[in-house]
Structures are given as structure tokens and as C-alpha cells.
């Protein structure tokens, strides 16, 4: 029995450590775009779209707005698919389980990295399917360190061949450190996963005794049964779902727009100085790597509020919803501050903007998953999570219209677009207010029921 416990602890530790490593090093291509596009421009991708034009005082300048437009289109498609394909991926996960979903994602990711590895400036259009596959796969190496690799003399071919070879890590985790199907809820005491997935382990007398004395209470069973009775249609018709969708959509648009316009913005603020653009791009990349340090903060805020004593008759789900209000409110507040800083055309201020961006992004994605988990039945998590990201990705297609507006009538100055998006973000404050009023309504109904 001691050997089994030690083996289980080792497996749990490996799952946690490799999971953190995978989240840190294999993420969506979209959030490393600023570093990757700098590298691709250096390699000459879409450079044929740069044309000579007449500038101020009849001087000849190189106009690369056509090149920027193509890169913006690549980013728009990749970021759209990164979120939109979460819906079929969620359905695939709910239907076939962890192993099948991961194998599908790994195959897409590996295909995409191989296509980038063997692409050239003459085959620039290969970036469209390549970035789309990498985004759709969902498990690819975080691109924020690519430029540093490039400056050390490591170019696209070996970089992306290395990323492709790293697929072996995902395969090993899939077969040895993850469950075959979904994790059951409530979790059985004899549940195992990995190479022993599906096998039951004998319980000791102490474990059996502990299980008897830790059976769920009547109230807990009631919470679970009521929660699981909700159909997917009921979830989709709820105000909580639609306000949450608006909350996610407007802030996701803000992040995609900032990342997609960062390189042109740095080009404008530095007057095209390549060394300064490289410096600030590297600073942004390094900041992105620090996102793993920011991710737990939202969880700590959520758990701290969740740990408060429950009111008499308050269900666990209601307590969780009440605990989520502060988290989703702070996320909106952070995004407003981040967006305001992004509006100010000051080069040194961008350091602070980088920090706000990575903190808010960590809060946004963590808070999105946490809210769906506590507000809706667990059996619908994959489908709802995928649907929310899919619908928000449709909304994020507005970024391409913003790119076209900046590169066209606004002559590369995104100030007015940034102000408009900042005002749009203010709508996201409706969501925490809606959740707060929902919880207060439930409390009022509970008080009326108790007094009658």
C-alpha cells in the first residue's frame, strides 16, 4: 500500500510539473505574434508588397503598409481559429475524451510547425495554413522567445523543427500522465489515470473508514443533482451566459488588437529604428513569459472569497458565483487601465502596458474557465467553454476592420481606434453587476422562503 501511495504521489507530481511546463512552453501562436512578425519581416516575408512612395518634401520612402496588411490578415485568421475551433475541440473532448482530443491537436500543431520550418520568403503565403494549424492545434511552443533565438543565429528551419520534435512530450503526457476520458465528478476514491487508467485499486481499512465518514451531505447531493439537471439549452438561454460572452468578447478583441498592431506601433514610435524595435519586442516577449507568475493571483482572489462562511441555506454554486464577482470586476478594471495606457503614444510607457497586458490576459482566460465551471453544470463544460471562445472569436474578427482602418484612413495612427475599443470595454462592467444582482436575487428568495 505504501508503494502504491508513493507511486501515486510521484505520478501526481509529474502531471503537475509537466502540465505547468506545457502551459508555459506550448501555448497559442497568437500571443507570441509580436516577436514572430519581427522575425518574419527580417527574413523578408511579404517584402514584395513594400513599394516606394513620395513622402514629405518629395522624398522617396518605402511604404510597407501592404506587408503589414498581409501580416494582419495572417494574425486575424490565426487568432480567430485559435478561439473558434475551441467549440469543435470541446465537443470532441466531451465525446471521445482526453487522448483522442490531444492526439488530434498534436497532429495539427506538428503539421503547422513543419510548414513554418520549411517556408521561405518566396512561399510567404504558406504562413496562412501554417499559423492556422498551429492555432487550431492549441499546443504549440510559446513564440515569445523566437526573436532571441534568431539573434543568436538560430533561424526558422531549426527553430520550428525543434518545436515539431517537441510533440513527443505531448504524446508521452497523453499516454502516461493523463486520463483516457474525462475525469469523473464526484471523484471516486479509487480513481487512477495514466497507464493504469480504468483500473481500481484495493482500499485499505483506513481508507474505507475515511470514505464512510466523508460521504457527501444531503445538501451537497442536492446541489450536485440540481446542477446536473440543467440542460445545455437552459444554460444557453441564461443571462449569465450572454453577459459572460460579452465580457470575454470585448476584452479579447482588445488583446488581439494590441498584439496585432504592436509591431507597427513600435515602428512608428521609434521612427523605424530597428534596434529600438527589437529591444521593445524582446521586452514584450520576456513579459509574456512572466504570465505564469500572474496566473495564480486570480485564483487566490477567487478562493479567498469562496472560503468565506456560507449563509444559511446558501448552496455551494451560489457561494461560488458570489465569490466570482470580485474576480470578473477586477479583470474588467485591469483591461480598462491596460487599454488607456495603450492609447497613449509614449514609448517608455509601453513597459507598463506590457505588464498590464500579461496580468489582464492571465486574469481573463483563467477567469473565463473558472466562471463557466462554477456557473454551469460540469457535464457541459467542454461544450460551453468551446462555444464561448468560438462566439467571441467571431466578434474578434472586428480586429481586421480596425487594422484596415489604421493602415488606411488613419495613416498608421491607431489612437482613435484605441479610444473606441476602450469605450467598448466599459460594457464588460455589466457582467459583474449582473452576477451580483443574480446572487442578491437568490438571497432574497431564500430569505422569503425561510420566513414563510
Amino acid at each position: 500500500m505504501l508503494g502504491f501511495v508513493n507511486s501515486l504521489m510521484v505520478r501526481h507530481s509529474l502531471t503537475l510539473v509537466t502540465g505547468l511546463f506545457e502551459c508555459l512552453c506550448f501555448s497559442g501562436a497568437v500571443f507570441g505574434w509580436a516577436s514572430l512578425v519581427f522575425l518574419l519581416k527580417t527574413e523578408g516575408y511579404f517584402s514584395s508588397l513594400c513599394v516606394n512612395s513620395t513622402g514629405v518634401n518629395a522624398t522617396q520612402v518605402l511604404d510597407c503598409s501592404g506587408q503589414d496588411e498581409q501580416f494582419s490578415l495572417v494574425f486575424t485568421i490565426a487568432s480567430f481559429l485559435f478561439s473558434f475551433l475551441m467549440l469543435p475541440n470541446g465537443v470532441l473532448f466531451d465525446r471521445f475524451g482526453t487522448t483522442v482530443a490531444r492526439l488530434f491537436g498534436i497532429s495539427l500543431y506538428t503539421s503547422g510547425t513543419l510548414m513554418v520550418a520549411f517556408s521561405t520568403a518566396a512561399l510567404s503565403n504558406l504562413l496562412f495554413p501554417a499559423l492556422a494549424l498551429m492555432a487550431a492545434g492549441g499546443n504549440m511552443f510559446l513564440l515569445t522567445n523566437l526573436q532571441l533565438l534568431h539573434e543568436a543565429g538560430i533561424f526558422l528551419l531549426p527553430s520550428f523543427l525543434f518545436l515539431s520534435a517537441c510533440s513527443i512530450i505531448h504524446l508521452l503526457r497523453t499516454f502516461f500522465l493523463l486520463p483516457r476520458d474525462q475525469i469523473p465528478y464526484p471523484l471516486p476514491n479509487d480513481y487512477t489515470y495514466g497507464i493504469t487508467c480504468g483500473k481500481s485499486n484495493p482500499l485499505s481499512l483506513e481508507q474505507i473508514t475515511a470514505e464512510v465518514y466523508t460521504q457527501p451531505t444531503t445538501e451537497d447531493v442536492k446541489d450536485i443533482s440540481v446542477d446536473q439537471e440543467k440542460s445545455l439549452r437552459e444554460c444557453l438561454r441564461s443571462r449569465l451566459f450572454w453577459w459572460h460572452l460579452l465580457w470575454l468578447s470585448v476584452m479579447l478583441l482588445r488583446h488581439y488588437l494590441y498584439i496585432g498592431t504592436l509591431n507597427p506601433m513600435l515602428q512608428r514610435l521609434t521612427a523605424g529604428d530597428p534596434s529600438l524595435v527589437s529591444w521593445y519586442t524582446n521586452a514584450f516577449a520576456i513579459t509574456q513569459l512572466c504570465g505564469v507568475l500572474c496566473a495564480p493571483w486570480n485564483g487566490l482572489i477567487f478562493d479567498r472569497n469562496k472560503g468565506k462562511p456560507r449563509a444559511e441555506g446558501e448552496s455551494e454554486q451560489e457561494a461560488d458565483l458570489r465569490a466570482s464577482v470580485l474576480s470578473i470586476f477586477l479583470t474588467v478594471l485591469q483591461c480598462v487601465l491596460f487599454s488607456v495606457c495603450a492609447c497613449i503614444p509614449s514609448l517608455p510607457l509601453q513597459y507598463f502596458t506590457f505588464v498590464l497586458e500579461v496580468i489582464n490576459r492571465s486574469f481573463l482566460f483563467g477567469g473565463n474557465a473558472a466562471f463557466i465551471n462554477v456557473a454551469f453544470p460540469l457535464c457541459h463544460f467542454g461544450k460551453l467553454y468551446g462555444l464561448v471562445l468560438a462566439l467571441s472569436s467571431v466578434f474578434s474578427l472586428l480586429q481586421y476592420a480596425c487594422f484596415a482602418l489604421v493602415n488606411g484612413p488613419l495613416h498608421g495612427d491607431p489612437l482613435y481606434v484605441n479610444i473606441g475599443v476602450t469605450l467598448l470595454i466599459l460594457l464588460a462592467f455589466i457582467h459583474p453587476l449582473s452576477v451580483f444582482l443574480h446572487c442578491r436575487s437568490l438571497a432574497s428568495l431564500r430569505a422569503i422562503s425561510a420566513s414563510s
Side-chain angles (χ1 to χ4, degrees):
M1 180 59 66
L2 182 60
F4 166 73
V5 172
N6 289 336
S7 174
L8 193 62
M9 291 179 63
V10 169
R11 187 186 305 163
H12 286 175
S13 299
L14 282 174
T15 302
L16 176 62
V17 172
T18 56
L20 291 173
F21 173 76
E22 193 171 68
C23 290
L24 175 64
C25 298
F26 298 85
S27 183
V30 292
F31 300 111
W33 178 252
S35 294
L36 181 58
V37 73
F38 181 87
L39 170 59
L40 294 173
K41 283 185 175 182
T42 304
E43 294 288 322
Y45 283 70
F46 298 119
S47 58
S48 60
L49 298 176
C50 293
V51 296
N52 289 319
S53 63
T54 303
V56 182
N57 298 326
T59 57
Q60 291 293 314
V61 295
L62 189 63
D63 181 10
C64 289
S65 58
Q67 182 190 36
D68 288 335
E69 187 173 347
Q70 282 298 98
F71 281 126
S72 297
L73 184 58
V74 172
F75 175 75
T76 300
I77 294 173
S79 60
F80 167 74
L81 291 177
F82 176 75
S83 298
F84 183 79
L85 291 182
M86 283 295 181
L87 176 57
N89 284 347
V91 174
L92 183 71
F93 172 75
D94 283 347
R95 177 65 179 84
F96 296 103
T98 304
T99 300
V100 173
R102 283 178 60 84
L103 290 177
F104 177 69
I106 291 169
S107 64
L108 293 178
Y109 147 68
T110 307
S111 301
T113 53
L114 287 173
M115 292 176 74
V116 176
F118 291 104
S119 68
T120 62
L123 298 173
S124 298
N125 287 329
L126 200 60
L127 291 176
F128 286 98
L131 268 294
L133 288 172
M134 291 165 66
N139 288 316
M140 55 86 53
F141 196 74
L142 193 65
L143 293 177
T144 49
N145 65 337
L146 271 182
Q147 186 185 346
L148 299 174
L149 290 173
H150 180 260
E151 290 177 350
I154 303 175
F155 296 95
L156 281 178
L157 177 61
S159 298
F160 279 85
L161 284 178
F162 171 76
L163 297 184
S164 303
C166 284
S167 294
I168 190 65
I169 299 174
H170 304 306
L171 291 173
L172 291 174
R173 292 195 73 244
T174 298
F175 290 112
F176 295 101
L177 292 174
L178 288 171
R180 298 285 186 269
D181 300 304
Q182 295 89 352
I183 298 175
Y185 180 81
L187 191 69
N189 284 348
D190 61 345
Y191 178 74
T192 59
Y193 61 89
I195 56 176
T196 58
C197 185
K199 298 179 182 179
S200 297
N201 295 287
L203 300 179
S204 66
L205 179 61
E206 292 80 4
Q207 289 175 306
I208 294 174
T209 304
E211 182 179 359
V212 171
Y213 286 101
T214 57
Q215 290 296 319
T217 64
T218 304
E219 183 179 331
D220 292 334
V221 172
K222 182 180 178 181
D223 288 345
I224 293 171
S225 62
V226 170
D227 185 56
Q228 298 300 327
E229 284 175 0
K230 290 183 180 179
S231 66
L232 181 61
R233 177 176 294 183
E234 288 175 319
C235 296
L236 296 179
R237 292 173 63 181
S238 68
R239 288 182 301 173
L240 291 179
F241 175 82
W242 290 104
W243 287 129
H244 181 71
L245 175 62
L246 175 67
W247 176 85
L248 177 66
S249 298
V250 295
M251 289 190 284
L252 202 59
L253 174 64
R254 169 70 275 183
H255 284 273
Y256 284 159
L257 184 62
Y258 182 73
I259 295 171
T261 59
L262 180 61
N263 184 266
M265 181 189 70
L266 292 178
Q267 292 277 357
R268 182 172 54 85
L269 294 180
T270 61
D273 187 338
S275 61
L276 273 177
V277 173
S278 176
W279 174 267
Y280 277 90
T281 303
N282 287 342
F284 180 73
I286 294 170
T287 307
Q288 297 299 294
L289 288 175
C290 296
V292 68
L293 303 176
C294 306
W297 298 353
N298 195 19
L300 290 173
I301 294 173
F302 190 93
D303 288 343
R304 186 175 183 277
N305 283 275
K306 184 179 177 179
K308 293 180 179 179
R310 278 198 258 172
E312 184 178 354
E314 184 181 32
S315 67
E316 183 178 359
Q317 185 191 34
E318 186 180 345
D320 290 343
L321 279 175
R322 177 170 48 79
S324 70
V325 173
L326 179 60
S327 170
I328 57 181
F329 171 80
L330 288 177
T331 304
V332 184
L333 185 60
Q334 291 168 359
C335 194
V336 171
L337 293 175
F338 152 58
S339 191
V340 168
C341 290
C343 293
I344 302 174
S346 169
L347 194 57
L349 183 63
Q350 297 313 306
Y351 290 120
F352 184 59
T353 309
F354 296 163
V355 173
L356 285 177
E357 192 276 336
V358 72
I359 292 175
N360 185 241
R361 180 164 58 85
S362 299
F363 271 65
L364 180 63
F365 283 95
N368 172 47
F371 182 80
I372 294 175
N373 184 59
V374 302
F376 305 104
L378 189 63
C379 60
H380 300 314
F381 176 81
K383 293 181 282 291
L384 291 174
Y385 183 76
L387 183 61
V388 165
L389 285 175
L391 293 176
S392 64
S393 70
V394 175
F395 186 83
S396 71
L397 288 176
L398 287 173
Q399 65 181 291
Y400 189 67
C402 295
F403 292 149
L405 190 62
V406 171
N407 294 329
L410 297 179
H411 306 289
D413 187 357
L415 177 62
Y416 294 109
V417 170
N418 284 331
I419 292 174
V421 173
T422 302
L423 295 175
L424 188 63
I425 294 170
L426 297 177
L427 293 175
F429 280 113
I430 298 175
H431 184 39
L433 178 62
S434 174
V435 177
F436 172 77
L437 293 176
H438 176 77
C439 292
R440 193 170 70 171
S441 175
L442 291 177
S444 299
L445 291 175
R446 190 172 61 249
I448 295 173
S449 176
S451 62
S452 61

